[in-house]
Amino acid sequence: MLKAENHSLKMENYNLRSNPICSSCDGSSDKLRLENSRLRQELDLLRSIASLFDSPPSPQDTSFYFSETDNNNVTLISEEEKAAAMDLAVSCVQELEKMCETIEPLWNKKMSVSLNEEEYKKMFQWPPMDDGRFRREASRANEVVLMNSITLVNTFLDADKWSEMFCPIVSRAKTIQIISSGVSGASGSLLLMYAELQGLSPMVPTREGYFLRYAEQKAEESKWMIVDFPIKKASATAATDQYRRKPSGCIIQDIPNGYSQVTWVEHVEVEEKHVLHEVVREYVRSGVAFGAERWLSVLKRQCERMASLMATDITDLGVIPSVDARRNLMRLSQTMVKSFCYGQAFSESTMDAVRVTRTRRKVCGGVVLCAVSTKFLPFSHHQVFDLLRDDHVLSQVANNSPDNEEMMLQETCTDNSGGLVVYSTVDFKAAMNGEDTSSIPILPLGFSIVPVNPPEGISVYSPSCLLTVGIQFLASNVATARLELSNVNDRIFTTLKLITSSLESSGSSAVPKQEISW
């Protein structure tokens, strides 16, 4: 379009030079020159806008974006570009709506929902993807969640709340610039954001990038649309996949009793900088690792957590003295799970190898280190989950003895996208007395279990999963932590051996089931 526009301007300029008389402007050559100059400026603006949204990032931008600087040092969208950004946002939300509401032939229904590439290219006129460098991941899913639409929208428009809600996926998020705060409440809000996404296994590379997020309400239909779309500032470090978000997001429709119907589309382009391990290759390339179903599974379980947190009609509190103490323990449990998930994002692991990395936080003046290892298991993730939450197995893993009994906080959750088992010894007295949970030191140990297709050589009918073990421990500094590394290695390998032997002795894989438990 820009080339055609440029050609048109050249022809117009040529005609003006050869015949400067124009009836529409009374033959004034000055007016013709002014109009021609205005068209040139408009073309230059269009060219800069197209470069902003469609061009791949330049290598020199990479180190700049990932340095820890304030927003004053980050290149922002200028006033001249804001109108074009809003126009693009409206276009992208229309694309999202079509992708959410159109079924076949845009989406192929086989074993799972997948995008029909040819149909997509016919419907939406994006610049062609460099198929030699990038591959497309696209998925769609639907779910009913226990939260109303406006609360969900406010969560998406607050980077801290968003990363808290999706902590198993979003390891870090921040709002770089508020381009528009909305014309009627949140509707019309446009944000420039940055996020790091993780797969909860160090074998799955972290994805990071910049994107624009836009919210629009259709009040007459009682629904909201949240769309993310690409920008030139979307870049990644050389150590990770180059990652571009195509129009992705969700449509949220209010339904009775405080519930919402959420339709989610996840659509990205990824350039892999390194070879994926065969065990996770299909898991990642199929789009399951970062797909719509995983996002919605996390959203559903977190919405149920928040509903449980706000409940007041609890009849059986067990050893917990009050409803307020229960809330405090649930907040502490969320902090524990978030800490465990964030610890996985900065680790890289090969099979049966332990990697130790430093986390972003400090506890009691010391440095928190995270040791992580991933192992492939020829068992269903449901069976592994059931084993890990068994009290007898857990006591062996925790290595407790009758002479050294400790109170432990544990959280477990599972669904078809995977499961988490996270626990830690905590100061229960402080939590029960209502102290600020952020000040209570916590060092979680836990497991992430995700279903994967078996690698070559193993029957495709055999359910399989990836088990990631993560242990966080405290050291006065990174140097002294090396002295403890051998003990940590032994503990992780012993844990993996115990789990494997327990699974093998339990017999065949369990029948898959769908569950969310707290």
Side-chain angles (χ1 to χ4, degrees):
M1 290 174 63
L2 287 171
K3 287 180 180 178
E5 180 72 12
N6 190 29
H7 177 73
S8 175
L9 285 171
K10 287 180 179 179
M11 292 301 298
E12 183 179 356
N13 186 272
Y14 174 79
N15 291 332
L16 288 174
R17 288 175 182 272
S18 60
N19 183 20
I21 304 301
C22 175
S23 58
S24 63
C25 50
D26 301 324
S28 171
S29 60
D30 289 337
K31 287 186 177 181
L32 289 172
R33 291 190 184 95
L34 287 172
E35 177 68 11
N36 198 250
S37 175
R38 185 190 65 78
L39 290 171
R40 282 199 186 92
Q41 292 175 359
E42 185 175 319
L43 180 64
D44 290 339
L45 178 60
L46 287 171
R47 186 178 290 110
S48 66
I49 292 169
S51 173
L52 174 68
F53 292 108
D54 293 332
S55 301
S58 55
Q60 61 266 28
D61 291 337
T62 299
S63 60
F64 174 77
Y65 289 129
F66 292 95
S67 59
E68 292 295 330
T69 57
D70 58 28
N71 287 353
N72 294 328
N73 292 328
V74 176
T75 303
L76 304 178
I77 293 178
S78 67
E79 289 297 324
E80 292 78 13
E81 296 164 341
K82 286 183 178 181
M86 287 297 295
D87 288 342
L88 187 59
V90 173
S91 176
C92 288
V93 85
Q94 292 171 353
E95 175 173 329
L96 174 69
E97 192 171 18
K98 286 182 181 178
M99 293 189 73
C100 285
E101 295 176 354
T102 306
I103 306 177
E104 293 178 321
L106 180 62
W107 296 97
N108 297 318
K109 286 189 174 181
K110 296 179 182 177
M111 293 183 65
S112 60
V113 178
S114 61
L115 186 67
N116 184 324
E117 294 253 1
E118 294 303 319
E119 227 18 74
Y120 176 79
K121 291 175 182 177
K122 290 178 185 177
M123 291 182 68
F124 307 108
Q125 302 300 315
W126 281 89
M129 181 177 69
D130 185 351
D131 296 329
R133 293 176 54 216
F134 289 88
R135 60 177 175 79
R136 190 189 307 276
E137 292 178 12
S139 57
R140 190 182 73 170
N142 296 277
E143 190 60 86
V144 174
V145 301
L146 184 52
M147 186 174 286
N148 61 59
S149 62
I150 190 61
T151 305
L152 284 171
V153 170
N154 289 335
T155 298
F156 279 98
L157 296 180
D158 185 309
D160 292 335
K161 290 180 180 179
W162 181 58
S163 61
E164 178 92 8
M165 177 73 83
F166 294 97
C167 65
I169 303 177
V170 183
S171 60
R172 190 183 181 194
K174 57 183 177 181
T175 300
I176 305 300
Q177 180 184 8
I178 299 176
I179 300 165
S180 170
S181 57
V183 293
S184 177
S187 185
S189 297
L190 180 61
L191 312 175
L192 171 60
M193 301 184 72
Y194 164 79
E196 295 175 0
L197 309 182
Q198 60 182 353
L200 270 193
S201 168
M203 296 176 68
V204 178
T206 300
R207 296 177 176 182
E208 46 195 319
Y210 290 80
F211 55 91
L212 289 164
R213 173 166 292 173
Y214 177 67
E216 182 179 302
Q217 182 186 26
K218 287 195 172 181
E220 68 280 4
E221 300 176 32
S222 300
K223 71 179 181 181
W224 283 84
M225 292 168 286
I226 307 290
V227 64
D228 299 342
F229 56 97
I231 188 172
K232 180 183 175 182
K233 294 177 177 66
S235 61
T237 64
T240 62
D241 293 351
Q242 186 169 318
Y243 167 75
R244 297 195 303 225
R245 283 183 76 74
K246 303 298 286 182
S248 300
C250 58
I251 293 181
I252 306 166
Q253 180 99 36
D254 275 321
I255 56 179
N257 300 322
Y259 285 82
S260 295
Q261 174 75 47
V262 181
T263 304
W264 195 296
V265 167
E266 194 65 18
H267 186 192
V268 302
E269 293 173 356
V270 181
E271 178 188 19
E272 290 174 342
K273 297 288 187 181
H274 51 270
V275 179
L276 294 169
H277 193 283
E278 63 174 347
V279 170
V280 298
R281 192 175 301 144
E282 180 63 22
Y283 174 65
V284 174
R285 289 184 174 177
S286 65
V288 175
F290 297 95
E293 185 176 353
R294 183 171 176 233
W295 283 94
L296 278 181
S297 295
V298 172
L299 178 62
K300 182 178 181 179
R301 92 174 56 143
Q302 291 288 66
C303 287
E304 294 196 3
R305 167 199 283 281
M306 295 180 70
S308 180
L309 179 67
M310 300 305 296
T312 57
D313 55 343
I314 308 298
T315 56
D316 182 13
L317 292 172
V319 298
I320 304 174
S322 66
V323 172
D324 288 338
R326 177 182 180 272
R327 287 202 184 104
N328 226 34
L329 279 176
M330 288 192 68
R331 293 190 186 98
L332 186 60
S333 181
Q334 171 70 356
T335 301
M336 177 182 69
V337 171
K338 183 169 64 173
S339 173
F340 171 78
C341 293
Y342 289 0
Q344 315 309 304
F346 305 100
S347 306
E348 291 185 1
S349 170
T350 56
M351 296 294 285
D352 294 327
V354 177
R355 299 294 176 92
V356 178
T357 56
R358 179 178 177 177
T359 69
R360 289 195 179 101
R361 64 194 182 95
K362 291 185 177 182
V363 174
C364 301
V367 177
V368 178
L369 300 179
C370 183
V372 184
S373 185
T374 294
K375 186 176 180 62
F376 170 80
L377 296 174
F379 300 92
S380 75
H381 76 282
H382 295 289
Q383 185 180 8
V384 177
F385 174 82
D386 287 340
L387 177 78
L388 290 174
R389 67 174 181 171
D390 181 87
D391 290 341
H392 175 67
V393 174
L394 191 60
S395 65
Q396 291 178 290
V397 172
N399 200 26
N400 288 336
S401 67
D403 298 328
N404 184 31
E405 291 185 352
E406 294 180 288
M407 294 289 286
M408 209 164 52
L409 180 64
Q410 175 183 309
E411 177 161 327
T412 63
C413 55
T414 185
D415 51 47
N416 286 337
S417 69
L420 278 174
V421 178
V422 185
Y423 58 92
S424 175
T425 56
V426 296
D427 184 351
F428 274 91
K429 185 177 180 180
M432 297 290 193
N433 291 337
E435 289 188 20
D436 181 9
T437 56
S438 62
S439 64
I440 298 176
I442 193 165
L443 293 170
L445 184 154
F447 306 90
S448 165
I449 316 109
V450 294
V452 295
N453 290 333
E456 293 183 11
I458 299 179
S459 171
V460 295
Y461 300 104
S462 173
S464 307
C465 68
L466 276 184
L467 172 65
T468 298
V469 183
I471 299 176
Q472 293 188 22
F473 59 101
L474 190 63
S476 57
N477 54 62
V478 176
T480 58
R482 298 179 186 279
L483 301 175
E484 303 178 27
L485 182 57
S486 60
N487 293 332
V488 174
N489 285 349
D490 290 342
R491 185 177 180 186
I492 286 183
F493 285 132
T494 300
T495 299
L496 290 172
K497 185 177 179 180
L498 172 66
I499 292 170
T500 303
S501 61
S502 298
L503 288 166
E504 289 172 348
S505 64
S506 66
S508 59
S509 301
V511 177
K513 61 184 178 180
Q514 192 167 15
E515 172 186 358
I516 293 180
S517 59
W518 300 104

